[in-house]
Coordinates of all heavy atoms in Angstrom, one line a residue:
M1473 N 25.0 23.1 72.4 CA 24.1 22.7 71.5 C 23.8 21.0 71.6 O 24.8 20.4 71.6 CB 24.5 23.1 70.2 CG 23.5 22.6 69.0 SD 24.0 23.5 67.5 CE 23.5 22.1 66.5
V1474 N 22.6 20.8 71.7 CA 22.3 19.4 71.8 C 21.8 18.9 70.3 O 21.0 19.4 69.8 CB 21.0 19.0 72.8 CG1 20.7 17.6 72.8 CG2 21.5 19.6 74.2
T1475 N 22.4 17.8 69.9 CA 22.0 17.1 68.6 C 21.1 15.9 68.9 O 21.5 15.0 69.8 CB 23.3 16.6 67.9 OG1 24.1 17.6 67.7 CG2 23.0 16.1 66.6
T1476 N 20.0 15.9 68.3 CA 19.0 14.8 68.5 C 19.1 14.0 67.3 O 18.9 14.6 66.0 CB 17.6 15.4 68.7 OG1 17.6 16.3 69.7 CG2 16.6 14.2 68.8
L1477 N 19.2 12.6 67.4 CA 19.3 11.8 66.2 C 17.8 11.5 65.8 O 17.0 11.1 66.5 CB 20.1 10.5 66.6 CG 21.5 10.5 66.8 CD1 22.0 9.2 67.2 CD2 22.2 10.8 65.5
Q1478 N 17.7 11.6 64.6 CA 16.3 11.3 63.9 C 16.3 9.7 64.0 O 17.3 9.1 63.7 CB 16.1 11.9 62.6 CG 16.2 13.5 62.6 CD 15.0 14.0 63.4 OE1 14.0 13.4 63.4 NE2 15.2 15.0 64.2
A1479 N 15.1 9.1 64.1 CA 15.0 7.8 63.9 C 15.5 7.1 62.7 O 16.2 6.2 62.8 CB 13.6 7.3 64.1
P1480 N 15.3 7.7 61.5 CA 15.8 7.0 60.3 C 17.3 7.0 60.3 O 17.9 6.0 59.9 CB 15.2 7.8 59.2 CG 14.0 8.5 59.7 CD 14.3 8.7 61.2
N1481 N 18.0 8.1 60.8 CA 19.5 8.1 60.7 C 20.0 7.1 61.8 O 20.9 6.4 61.5 CB 19.8 9.6 61.2 CG 19.5 10.6 60.1 OD1 19.3 10.2 59.0 ND2 19.4 11.8 60.5
L1482 N 19.2 7.0 62.9 CA 19.7 6.0 63.8 C 19.6 4.6 63.4 O 20.5 3.8 63.5 CB 19.0 6.2 65.1 CG 19.3 5.2 66.3 CD1 20.7 5.3 66.7 CD2 18.3 5.5 67.3
L1483 N 18.5 4.4 62.8 CA 18.2 3.1 62.1 C 19.3 2.7 61.1 O 19.8 1.6 61.0 CB 16.8 2.9 61.6 CG 15.8 2.8 62.6 CD1 14.4 2.7 62.0 CD2 15.9 1.6 63.5
D1484 N 19.6 3.6 60.1 CA 20.6 3.5 59.1 C 21.9 3.1 59.8 O 22.7 2.3 59.3 CB 20.7 4.7 58.3 CG 19.5 4.9 57.3 OD1 18.8 3.9 57.1 OD2 19.3 5.9 56.9
R1485 N 22.3 3.9 60.9 CA 23.6 3.6 61.5 C 23.6 2.2 62.2 O 24.6 1.5 62.0 CB 23.9 4.8 62.5 CG 24.2 6.0 61.9 CD 24.5 7.1 62.9 NE 25.3 6.6 64.0 CZ 25.5 7.1 65.2 NH1 24.6 8.3 65.5 NH2 26.2 6.7 66.1
L1486 N 22.6 1.8 62.7 CA 22.4 0.5 63.3 C 22.6 -0.6 62.3 O 23.1 -1.5 62.5 CB 21.3 0.3 64.2 CG 21.1 1.2 65.5 CD1 19.8 1.0 66.1 CD2 22.3 0.7 66.4
R1487 N 21.8 -0.3 61.1 CA 21.9 -1.4 60.1 C 23.3 -1.6 59.4 O 23.6 -2.7 59.1 CB 20.8 -1.0 59.0 CG 19.4 -1.3 59.3 CD 18.5 -1.1 58.2 NE 17.2 -0.9 58.6 CZ 16.2 -0.1 58.6 NH1 16.5 1.1 58.0 NH2 15.0 -0.2 59.0
Q1488 N 24.1 -0.4 59.5 CA 25.4 -0.6 58.9 C 26.4 -1.1 59.9 O 27.5 -1.4 59.4 CB 25.8 0.9 58.4 CG 25.1 1.5 57.3 CD 25.3 2.9 57.1 OE1 26.1 3.4 57.7 NE2 24.6 3.5 56.1
R1489 N 25.9 -1.3 61.2 CA 27.0 -1.8 62.1 C 27.2 -3.3 62.0 O 26.2 -4.1 61.7 CB 26.3 -1.6 63.6 CG 27.2 -2.0 64.7 CD 26.6 -1.7 65.9 NE 27.4 -2.3 66.9 CZ 27.0 -2.4 68.3 NH1 25.8 -2.0 68.7 NH2 27.8 -3.0 69.1
T1490 N 28.5 -3.6 62.0 CA 28.8 -5.1 61.8 C 29.0 -5.6 63.3 O 29.8 -5.0 64.1 CB 30.0 -5.3 61.0 OG1 29.8 -4.6 59.7 CG2 30.4 -6.7 60.9
I1491 N 28.3 -6.6 63.7 CA 28.5 -7.3 65.0 C 29.4 -8.6 64.8 O 28.9 -9.5 64.1 CB 27.3 -7.5 65.5 CG1 26.5 -6.2 65.8 CG2 27.4 -8.1 67.0 CD1 25.1 -6.3 66.2
A1492 N 30.4 -8.7 65.5 CA 31.2 -10.0 65.4 C 30.6 -11.1 66.2 O 29.7 -10.7 67.1 CB 32.6 -9.8 66.1
P1493 N 30.5 -12.2 65.7 CA 29.9 -13.4 66.4 C 30.1 -13.4 67.8 O 29.2 -13.8 68.6 CB 30.4 -14.7 65.6 CG 30.7 -14.2 64.2 CD 31.2 -12.6 64.6
T1494 N 31.4 -13.2 68.3 CA 31.6 -13.2 69.6 C 30.9 -12.2 70.5 O 31.0 -12.3 71.8 CB 33.3 -13.2 69.8 OG1 33.7 -12.1 69.2 CG2 33.9 -14.4 69.1
D1495 N 30.6 -11.1 69.9 CA 30.0 -10.0 70.5 C 28.5 -10.2 70.7 O 27.7 -9.5 71.4 CB 30.3 -8.6 69.9 CG 31.7 -8.3 70.0 OD1 32.3 -8.8 70.8 OD2 32.1 -7.5 69.1
L1496 N 27.9 -11.1 69.9 CA 26.4 -11.3 69.7 C 25.8 -11.7 71.1 O 24.9 -11.1 71.5 CB 26.1 -12.2 68.7 CG 24.5 -12.2 68.4 CD1 24.0 -11.0 68.0 CD2 24.4 -13.4 67.3
L1497 N 26.2 -12.7 71.7 CA 25.7 -13.2 73.0 C 25.9 -12.1 74.1 O 24.7 -11.9 74.7 CB 26.4 -14.5 73.4 CG 25.7 -15.2 74.6 CD1 24.2 -15.6 74.3 CD2 26.4 -16.5 74.9
P1498 N 26.9 -11.5 74.2 CA 26.8 -10.4 75.3 C 26.0 -9.4 75.0 O 25.4 -8.7 75.9 CB 28.4 -10.0 75.3 CG 29.2 -11.1 74.8 CD 28.3 -11.7 73.9
L1499 N 25.7 -9.0 73.8 CA 24.8 -7.9 73.4 C 23.4 -8.4 73.8 O 22.7 -7.6 74.3 CB 24.9 -7.6 71.9 CG 26.2 -6.8 71.6 CD1 26.3 -6.6 70.0 CD2 26.0 -5.4 72.3
L1500 N 23.0 -9.6 73.3 CA 21.7 -10.1 73.6 C 21.5 -10.2 75.1 O 20.4 -9.8 75.6 CB 21.5 -11.5 73.0 CG 21.4 -11.6 71.6 CD1 21.7 -13.1 71.1 CD2 20.3 -11.0 71.0
I1501 N 22.5 -10.6 75.9 CA 22.3 -10.6 77.4 C 22.2 -9.1 77.9 O 21.3 -8.8 78.7 CB 23.5 -11.2 78.1 CG1 23.3 -12.8 77.7 CG2 23.4 -11.1 79.6 CD1 24.5 -13.6 78.0
N1502 N 23.0 -8.2 77.5 CA 23.0 -6.8 77.9 C 21.7 -6.1 77.6 O 21.3 -5.4 78.5 CB 24.3 -6.1 77.2 CG 24.3 -4.7 77.8 OD1 24.3 -4.3 79.0 ND2 24.5 -3.7 76.9
Y1503 N 21.2 -6.4 76.4 CA 19.9 -5.8 76.0 C 18.6 -6.5 76.6 O 17.6 -6.3 76.1 CB 19.8 -5.5 74.6 CG 20.8 -4.5 74.1 CD1 21.7 -4.8 73.2 CD2 20.6 -3.2 74.5 CE1 22.6 -3.8 72.7 CE2 21.6 -2.3 74.1 CZ 22.6 -2.5 73.4 OH 23.5 -1.6 72.8
K1504 N 19.0 -7.6 77.3 CA 17.8 -8.4 77.9 C 17.1 -9.1 76.9 O 15.8 -9.1 77.1 CB 17.2 -7.5 79.0 CG 18.0 -7.0 80.1 CD 17.4 -6.5 81.3 CE 18.1 -6.0 82.4 NZ 19.5 -6.0 82.3
L1505 N 17.6 -9.5 75.9 CA 16.9 -10.1 74.7 C 16.9 -11.7 74.8 O 16.2 -12.3 74.0 CB 17.3 -9.6 73.4 CG 17.1 -8.1 73.1 CD1 17.7 -7.6 71.9 CD2 15.6 -7.8 73.0
M1506 N 17.7 -12.2 75.7 CA 17.8 -13.6 75.7 C 16.4 -14.3 75.9 O 16.2 -15.3 75.3 CB 19.0 -14.1 76.7 CG 20.3 -13.9 76.1 SD 20.6 -14.8 74.6 CE 20.5 -16.5 75.1
P1507 N 15.7 -14.0 77.0 CA 14.4 -14.6 77.2 C 13.5 -14.6 76.0 O 12.9 -15.6 75.6 CB 13.8 -13.9 78.4 CG 15.0 -13.3 78.9 CD 16.0 -12.9 78.0
Q1508 N 13.5 -13.4 75.2 CA 12.7 -13.5 74.0 C 13.2 -14.3 73.0 O 12.5 -15.1 72.2 CB 12.5 -12.0 73.6 CG 11.6 -11.8 72.4 CD 11.6 -10.5 71.9 OE1 11.9 -9.5 72.4 NE2 11.0 -10.2 70.8
L1509 N 14.6 -14.3 72.8 CA 15.1 -15.2 71.7 C 14.8 -16.7 72.0 O 14.5 -17.4 71.2 CB 16.6 -15.0 71.7 CG 17.4 -15.8 70.8 CD1 17.0 -15.5 69.3 CD2 18.9 -15.5 70.9
L1510 N 14.9 -17.0 73.3 CA 14.7 -18.4 73.7 C 13.2 -18.8 73.5 O 13.0 -19.9 73.0 CB 15.1 -18.6 75.2 CG 16.7 -18.6 75.4 CD1 17.0 -18.7 76.9 CD2 17.4 -19.7 74.7
S1511 N 12.3 -18.0 73.8 CA 10.9 -18.1 73.5 C 10.6 -18.3 72.1 O 9.9 -19.1 71.8 CB 10.1 -17.0 74.1 OG 10.1 -16.9 75.6
E1512 N 11.1 -17.4 71.3 CA 10.9 -17.5 69.8 C 11.5 -18.8 69.3 O 10.9 -19.5 68.5 CB 11.5 -16.3 69.2 CG 10.9 -15.0 69.5 CD 9.4 -14.8 69.0 OE1 9.0 -15.5 68.1 OE2 8.7 -14.1 69.6
S1513 N 12.6 -19.3 69.8 CA 13.3 -20.4 69.3 C 12.5 -21.6 69.7 O 12.2 -22.5 68.9 CB 14.6 -20.6 70.0 OG 15.4 -21.7 69.5
I1514 N 11.9 -21.6 70.9 CA 11.1 -22.7 71.3 C 9.8 -22.8 70.3 O 9.4 -23.9 69.9 CB 10.6 -22.6 72.8 CG1 11.8 -22.9 73.6 CG2 9.5 -23.5 73.3 CD1 11.6 -22.5 75.1
L1515 N 9.2 -21.6 70.1 CA 7.9 -21.5 69.3 C 8.4 -22.0 68.0 O 7.5 -22.8 67.3 CB 7.4 -20.1 69.3 CG 6.6 -19.7 70.5 CD1 6.3 -18.2 70.4 CD2 5.5 -20.6 70.7
D1516 N 9.6 -21.5 67.4 CA 9.9 -22.0 66.0 C 9.9 -23.5 66.0 O 9.6 -24.1 64.9 CB 11.2 -21.3 65.7 CG 11.1 -19.8 65.3 OD1 10.0 -19.4 65.1 OD2 12.1 -19.3 65.2
Q1517 N 10.6 -24.2 66.9 CA 10.8 -25.6 66.9 C 9.5 -26.3 67.0 O 9.0 -27.3 66.4 CB 11.6 -26.0 68.0 CG 13.0 -25.7 67.9 CD 13.7 -26.3 66.7 OE1 13.5 -27.6 66.6 NE2 14.5 -25.7 66.0
A1518 N 8.4 -25.7 67.9 CA 7.1 -26.3 68.0 C 6.2 -26.2 66.8 O 5.5 -27.1 66.5 CB 6.4 -25.7 69.2
I1519 N 6.5 -25.1 66.0 CA 5.5 -25.0 64.8 C 6.2 -25.3 63.5 O 5.6 -25.1 62.4 CB 4.9 -23.6 64.7 CG1 5.9 -22.6 64.6 CG2 4.1 -23.3 66.2 CD1 5.4 -21.1 64.3
K1520 N 7.4 -25.7 63.5 CA 8.1 -25.8 62.2 C 7.5 -26.9 61.4 O 7.6 -26.8 60.1 CB 9.6 -26.0 62.3 CG 10.1 -27.4 62.8 CD 11.6 -27.4 62.9 CE 12.0 -28.8 63.4 NZ 13.5 -28.9 63.4
A1521 N 6.9 -27.9 61.9 CA 6.3 -28.9 61.0 C 4.9 -28.6 60.6 O 4.3 -29.3 59.7 CB 6.2 -30.3 61.9
I1522 N 4.2 -27.5 61.0 CA 3.0 -27.1 60.6 C 3.1 -26.4 59.2 O 3.7 -25.5 59.2 CB 2.3 -26.4 61.7 CG1 2.1 -26.9 62.9 CG2 1.0 -25.7 61.2 CD1 1.8 -26.1 64.0
E1523 N 2.4 -26.9 58.3 CA 2.3 -26.2 57.0 C 0.9 -25.8 56.7 O -0.1 -26.4 57.0 CB 2.6 -27.2 55.9 CG 4.3 -27.6 56.0 CD 4.7 -28.3 54.9 OE1 4.0 -28.3 53.7 OE2 5.8 -29.1 55.2
C1524 N 0.8 -24.6 56.1 CA -0.5 -23.9 55.7 C -0.6 -24.0 54.2 O 0.4 -23.7 53.6 CB -0.8 -22.6 56.3 SG -0.7 -22.6 58.1
N1525 N -1.8 -24.2 53.7 CA -2.0 -24.0 52.2 C -2.2 -22.5 52.0 O -2.4 -21.8 52.9 CB -3.1 -25.0 51.8 CG -4.6 -24.5 52.2 OD1 -4.8 -23.3 52.3 ND2 -5.3 -25.5 52.6
P1526 N -2.1 -22.0 50.7 CA -2.2 -20.6 50.4 C -3.6 -20.0 50.9 O -3.5 -18.8 51.5 CB -2.2 -20.6 48.8 CG -1.5 -21.8 48.5 CD -1.8 -22.9 49.6
T1527 N -4.5 -20.7 51.0 CA -5.8 -20.3 51.4 C -5.8 -19.9 53.0 O -6.2 -18.9 53.5 CB -7.1 -21.0 51.1 OG1 -7.1 -21.3 49.7 CG2 -8.3 -20.6 51.6
E1528 N -5.3 -20.9 53.7 CA -5.2 -20.7 55.1 C -4.3 -19.6 55.4 O -4.5 -18.8 56.4 CB -4.6 -22.0 55.7 CG -5.6 -23.2 55.7 CD -5.0 -24.5 56.1 OE1 -3.8 -24.7 55.8 OE2 -5.7 -25.3 56.6
T1529 N -3.1 -19.6 54.7 CA -2.1 -18.4 55.0 C -2.9 -17.1 54.7 O -2.7 -16.2 55.5 CB -0.9 -18.5 54.0 OG1 -0.3 -19.8 54.4 CG2 0.1 -17.4 54.2
E1530 N -3.6 -17.0 53.6 CA -4.3 -15.7 53.3 C -5.4 -15.4 54.4 O -5.4 -14.1 54.8 CB -5.1 -15.9 51.9 CG -5.6 -14.5 51.5 CD -6.2 -14.9 50.0 OE1 -5.7 -15.3 49.1 OE2 -7.5 -14.2 49.8
Q1531 N -6.1 -16.4 54.8 CA -7.1 -16.1 55.9 C -6.3 -15.7 57.2 O -6.9 -14.7 57.9 CB -7.8 -17.3 56.1 CG -8.8 -17.7 55.1 CD -9.4 -19.1 55.2 OE1 -9.1 -19.9 56.0 NE2 -10.5 -19.2 54.5
A1532 N -5.2 -16.2 57.5 CA -4.5 -15.9 58.8 C -4.0 -14.5 58.7 O -4.0 -13.8 59.6 CB -3.3 -16.9 59.0
C1533 N -3.4 -14.1 57.6 CA -2.9 -12.8 57.3 C -4.1 -11.8 57.4 O -3.9 -10.7 57.9 CB -2.2 -12.7 55.9 SG -0.7 -13.3 56.0
A1534 N -5.2 -12.1 56.9 CA -6.4 -11.2 56.9 C -6.8 -10.9 58.5 O -7.1 -9.8 58.9 CB -7.6 -11.7 56.1
V1535 N -6.7 -12.1 59.2 CA -7.1 -11.9 60.6 C -5.9 -11.2 61.3 O -6.3 -10.2 62.1 CB -7.3 -13.3 61.3 CG1 -7.3 -13.2 62.8 CG2 -8.5 -14.0 60.8
F1536 N -4.8 -11.3 60.9 CA -3.6 -10.6 61.6 C -3.8 -9.1 61.4 O -3.7 -8.2 62.2 CB -2.3 -11.1 61.1 CG -1.0 -10.4 61.5 CD1 -0.5 -10.7 62.9 CD2 -0.5 -9.5 60.8 CE1 0.7 -9.9 63.2 CE2 0.6 -8.7 61.2 CZ 1.1 -9.1 62.5
Y1537 N -3.9 -8.9 60.1 CA -4.1 -7.4 59.8 C -5.3 -6.7 60.3 O -5.3 -5.5 60.7 CB -4.2 -7.2 58.2 CG -2.8 -7.5 57.5 CD1 -2.7 -8.3 56.4 CD2 -1.6 -6.9 58.0 CE1 -1.3 -8.6 55.8 CE2 -0.4 -7.1 57.4 CZ -0.3 -7.9 56.3 OH 0.9 -8.1 55.7
Q1538 N -6.4 -7.3 60.4 CA -7.5 -6.9 60.9 C -7.4 -6.6 62.5 O -7.7 -5.5 62.9 CB -8.9 -7.9 60.8 CG -10.1 -7.4 61.4 CD -11.2 -8.4 61.4 OE1 -10.9 -9.6 61.1 NE2 -12.4 -7.9 61.3
K1539 N -6.7 -7.6 63.2 CA -6.5 -7.3 64.7 C -5.5 -6.1 64.9 O -5.6 -5.3 65.8 CB -5.8 -8.4 65.2 CG -6.7 -9.7 65.6 CD -6.3 -10.9 66.2 CE -7.2 -11.8 66.4 NZ -6.7 -13.1 67.2
K1540 N -4.5 -5.8 63.8 CA -3.6 -4.6 64.0 C -4.3 -3.3 63.5 O -3.8 -2.3 63.5 CB -2.4 -4.9 63.0 CG -1.6 -6.1 63.7 CD -0.8 -5.6 64.9 CE 0.2 -6.8 65.3 NZ 0.8 -6.4 66.5
G1541 N -5.6 -3.5 62.9 CA -6.3 -2.4 62.3 C -5.7 -2.0 61.1 O -5.9 -0.7 60.7
L1542 N -5.2 -2.8 60.3 CA -4.4 -2.4 59.0 C -5.5 -3.0 57.8 O -5.3 -4.1 57.3 CB -3.0 -3.1 58.9 CG -2.1 -2.8 60.1 CD1 -1.0 -3.7 60.0 CD2 -1.7 -1.4 60.0
T1543 N -6.5 -2.2 57.6 CA -7.4 -2.5 56.7 C -7.1 -2.4 55.2 O -7.4 -3.1 54.2 CB -8.8 -2.1 56.9 OG1 -8.6 -0.5 57.0 CG2 -9.3 -2.5 58.2
L1544 N -6.3 -1.2 54.9 CA -5.8 -0.9 53.6 C -4.5 -1.5 53.3 O -3.6 -1.7 54.1 CB -5.7 0.7 53.5 CG -7.0 1.4 53.8 CD1 -6.7 2.9 53.8 CD2 -8.0 1.1 52.8
E1545 N -4.3 -1.9 51.8 CA -3.1 -2.4 51.5 C -1.9 -1.5 51.8 O -0.9 -1.9 52.1 CB -3.2 -2.8 50.0 CG -1.9 -3.3 49.3 CD -1.3 -4.5 50.0 OE1 -2.2 -5.5 50.5 OE2 -0.1 -4.7 50.1
S1546 N -2.2 -0.2 51.6 CA -1.1 0.9 51.9 C -0.8 0.8 53.4 O 0.4 0.8 53.7 CB -1.7 2.2 51.5 OG -2.7 2.6 52.2
E1547 N -1.7 0.7 54.3 CA -1.4 0.6 55.7 C -0.5 -0.7 56.0 O 0.4 -0.7 56.7 CB -2.6 0.5 56.6 CG -3.4 1.7 56.5 CD -4.7 1.7 57.1 OE1 -5.3 0.5 57.0 OE2 -5.2 2.6 57.6
Q1548 N -1.0 -1.9 55.4 CA -0.1 -3.1 55.4 C 1.2 -2.9 54.9 O 2.2 -3.5 55.6 CB -0.9 -4.2 54.8 CG -2.2 -4.5 55.3 CD -3.1 -5.4 54.5 OE1 -2.7 -5.9 53.4 NE2 -4.4 -5.5 54.8
G1549 N 1.3 -2.3 53.9 CA 2.6 -2.0 53.3 C 3.6 -1.1 54.3 O 4.9 -1.5 54.4
V1550 N 3.1 -0.3 54.8 CA 3.8 0.6 55.8 C 4.2 -0.1 57.0 O 5.3 -0.1 57.4 CB 3.0 1.8 56.1 CG1 3.5 2.5 57.3 CG2 2.7 2.9 55.0
W1551 N 3.3 -1.0 57.4 CA 3.6 -2.0 58.6 C 4.8 -2.8 58.3 O 5.7 -3.0 58.9 CB 2.4 -2.7 59.0 CG 2.7 -3.6 60.2 CD1 2.5 -3.2 61.6 CD2 3.1 -4.9 60.2 NE1 2.8 -4.2 62.3 CE2 3.3 -5.3 61.5 CE3 3.6 -5.8 59.1 CZ2 3.6 -6.6 61.9 CZ3 3.9 -7.1 59.6 CH2 4.1 -7.5 60.9
R1552 N 4.6 -3.5 56.9 CA 5.7 -4.3 56.5 C 7.1 -3.6 56.5 O 8.1 -4.1 56.8 CB 5.3 -5.0 55.3 CG 4.3 -6.1 55.4 CD 4.1 -6.9 54.1 NE 3.8 -6.2 52.9 CZ 2.6 -5.8 52.6 NH1 1.5 -6.3 53.1 NH2 2.2 -5.0 51.5
S1553 N 7.0 -2.4 55.8 CA 8.3 -1.7 55.7 C 8.8 -1.3 57.1 O 10.1 -1.4 57.3 CB 8.0 -0.4 54.9 OG 7.7 -0.7 53.7
H1554 N 7.9 -0.9 57.9 CA 8.5 -0.5 59.3 C 9.1 -1.7 60.1 O 10.2 -1.4 60.6 CB 7.2 0.0 60.1 CG 7.6 0.4 61.6 ND1 8.2 1.5 61.9 CD2 7.4 -0.3 62.8 CE1 8.5 1.6 63.2 NE2 8.0 0.5 63.8
Y1555 N 8.6 -2.8 59.8 CA 9.2 -4.1 60.5 C 10.1 -4.8 59.7 O 10.7 -5.8 60.0 CB 8.1 -5.0 61.2 CG 7.4 -4.3 62.3 CD1 6.2 -3.7 62.1 CD2 8.0 -4.4 63.5 CE1 5.5 -3.0 63.1 CE2 7.4 -3.6 64.6 CZ 6.2 -3.0 64.4 OH 5.5 -2.5 65.6
G1556 N 10.4 -4.3 58.4 CA 11.5 -4.9 57.5 C 10.9 -6.2 56.9 O 11.8 -7.0 56.6
F1557 N 9.6 -6.4 56.7 CA 9.1 -7.6 56.0 C 8.7 -7.3 54.6 O 8.3 -6.3 54.2 CB 7.8 -8.1 56.7 CG 8.0 -8.6 58.1 CD1 7.7 -8.0 59.2 CD2 8.5 -10.0 58.2 CE1 7.9 -8.4 60.5 CE2 8.8 -10.4 59.5 CZ 8.4 -9.7 60.6
T1558 N 9.0 -8.4 53.7 CA 8.4 -8.3 52.4 C 7.1 -9.0 52.6 O 6.8 -9.6 53.5 CB 9.3 -9.2 51.5 OG1 9.2 -10.6 51.9 CG2 10.7 -8.8 51.4
V1559 N 6.4 -8.9 51.4 CA 4.9 -9.6 51.5 C 5.0 -11.1 51.9 O 4.4 -11.6 52.7 CB 4.2 -9.4 50.2 CG1 2.9 -10.2 50.1 CG2 3.9 -7.9 49.8
F1560 N 6.0 -11.7 51.3 CA 6.3 -13.2 51.5 C 6.6 -13.5 52.9 O 6.1 -14.4 53.5 CB 7.4 -13.7 50.4 CG 7.7 -15.1 50.7 CD1 6.8 -16.1 50.4 CD2 9.0 -15.5 51.4 CE1 7.2 -17.5 50.5 CE2 9.1 -16.8 51.6 CZ 8.4 -17.8 51.2
E1561 N 7.6 -12.5 53.5 CA 8.0 -12.8 54.9 C 6.8 -12.5 55.9 O 6.6 -13.3 56.9 CB 9.1 -11.9 55.2 CG 10.5 -12.3 54.5 CD 11.5 -11.2 54.5 OE1 11.2 -10.1 54.8 OE2 12.7 -11.5 54.4
A1562 N 6.0 -11.6 55.6 CA 4.9 -11.2 56.3 C 3.9 -12.4 56.4 O 3.3 -12.6 57.6 CB 4.3 -9.9 56.0
A1563 N 3.7 -13.0 55.3 CA 2.8 -14.2 55.3 C 3.3 -15.3 56.2 O 2.4 -16.0 56.7 CB 2.6 -14.6 53.8
K1564 N 4.6 -15.4 56.3 CA 5.1 -16.4 57.2 C 4.8 -16.2 58.7 O 4.8 -17.1 59.5 CB 6.6 -16.7 56.9 CG 6.9 -17.3 55.6 CD 8.3 -17.8 55.6 CE 9.3 -16.7 55.7 NZ 10.6 -17.2 55.3
V1565 N 4.7 -14.9 59.0 CA 4.5 -14.6 60.4 C 2.9 -14.4 60.8 O 2.7 -14.3 62.0 CB 5.3 -13.4 60.9 CG1 6.6 -13.5 60.8 CG2 4.7 -12.2 60.2
C1566 N 2.0 -14.3 59.7 CA 0.7 -14.3 60.1 C 0.2 -15.6 60.6 O -0.6 -15.6 61.5 CB -0.1 -14.0 58.8 SG 0.2 -12.5 58.1

């Protein structure tokens, strides 16, 4: 008999996993995530001094959601939940 893990169960198990700091770098390398991490780090440094007022943030989020095809608030909420964002955190990535 083959047991298939359902995505929610797998995600729950992964979220409960504790990773020791000494294991983090080897895992990032093993999963080939270092290039993405370095790229994101460079971008974070480049844009950290840029600040947006609330209107600019709202406009950027509207464009972001439109490009993703998320026109309804419920769709946006599902997207945020799927990626683990709160409304506030999502506004920071828009």
